[in-house]
Amino acid sequence: MVVRHEAQAEFLQAVGQATRLRILEVLADGERCVCDIQMAVGEQQSNVSKHLAILRKSGILTARREGGRVIYRIRDGWIPEALRRLSDVVPRDFVWQ
């Protein structure tokens, strides 16, 4: 049981940042290159690359080279569904007090 909680905490830590959630939302529609992800989330490429590295290191994303580009995708199909459910649970106007 402790191992399960550790794994859940690591997952939540990896996705627990707004830019990473936006990246995952973009990738929920399918694989994308860094340049497409950067344009979709509206962040500097260096910042996007940093967040992609965190998501990849955590095992949430995989990457492959295609010519000079790196293409990212979500490793497991349950992840986009879990994030959609999170949107159902957490109200849009939620503010941590």
Side-chain angles (χ1 to χ4, degrees):
M1 188 170 210
V2 170
V3 172
R4 186 183 84 220
H5 290 134
E6 290 294 324
Q8 290 170 341
E10 287 177 21
F11 173 79
L12 291 172
Q13 235 178 350
V15 301
Q17 203 278 340
T19 299
R20 288 184 222 137
L21 287 171
R22 288 195 306 272
I23 289 170
L24 291 170
E25 189 174 279
V26 169
L27 292 173
D29 293 332
E31 62 182 19
R32 299 270 199 286
C33 69
V34 176
C35 56
D36 290 342
I37 296 167
Q38 182 223 343
M39 296 224 359
V41 300
E43 298 276 342
Q44 297 285 331
Q45 184 174 349
S46 60
N47 193 36
V48 170
S49 293
K50 177 185 78 172
H51 290 295
L52 287 168
I54 291 167
L55 292 168
R56 187 174 178 193
K57 184 178 178 187
S58 71
I60 293 170
L61 298 183
T62 62
R64 64 181 171 81
R65 286 212 169 269
E66 189 174 277
R69 301 180 336 166
V70 179
I71 309 296
Y72 287 88
R73 73 174 181 85
I74 296 175
R75 180 182 299 261
D76 294 311
W78 62 266
I79 293 172
E81 180 58 30
L83 296 174
R84 279 191 283 280
R85 289 183 184 179
L86 180 63
S87 293
D88 293 341
V89 172
V90 179
R92 188 168 258 209
D93 59 351
F94 176 79
V95 176
W96 180 257
Q97 301 288 331

